Amino acid sequence: QSLSTDNATFLWGKFEPFQQMEPLSAIIAAFTNFCQEMTAQNKESFRETRAAVQEVVHSSGAFLGNLIPGLRNFMDAPLNEAVMVDGMEAQNRFKFVLRLFVRAMDTAAKPIVLYLDDLQWADPA
């Protein structure tokens, strides 16, 4: 879930013990809820946010949109195309594109705070 205030946007996700095979589940849930709330805001605010995201993320939005379906409203790239990367390349690409997305959304006037609960359930290791 996310919680917006005048000064910051708080996103939070919770790892569950039975979702250890999905190590990004809390991050995906946090950003999906955030995007749902953004689309429910006024259209002008949504358009401004969407333009900022598209300017920064470009064609890499397809990769991120396939991992976090809630982000699809922010992307202008074809989202169902297969992005053929695996292993460490996929992990590095995810980190890079997610960082771009967060930077586009985050401003000094309205920072984003991401809280992840129950990290001990993130993976079985």
Side-chain angles (χ1 to χ4, degrees), residues 41-111:
Q41 288 185 354
N42 69 52
K43 292 187 186 280
E44 183 61 32
S45 175
F46 175 73
R47 274 188 290 238
E48 289 174 9
T49 304
R50 185 172 188 237
V53 167
Q54 289 178 348
E55 182 179 331
V56 173
V57 175
H58 302 292
S59 63
S60 297
F63 179 78
L64 195 58
N66 286 333
L67 291 172
I68 304 175
L71 299 180
R72 292 181 178 178
N73 290 329
F74 288 92
M75 308 301 168
D76 204 18
L79 294 171
N80 291 327
E81 69 182 32
V83 181
M84 304 305 284
V85 294
D86 61 348
M88 189 56 78
E89 183 182 353
Q91 183 178 0
N92 290 337
R93 193 170 193 184
F94 174 75
K95 288 178 191 177
F96 176 74
V97 177
L98 184 63
R99 198 173 304 141
L100 289 176
F101 178 77
V102 170
R103 284 182 185 162
M105 305 290 292
D106 188 40
T107 64
K110 191 165 178 110

Side-chain angles (χ1 to χ4, degrees), residues 20-33:
Q20 290 181 344
M21 298 308 289
E22 299 175 33
L24 300 174
S25 62
I27 295 170
I28 291 169
F31 280 97
T32 299
N33 290 335

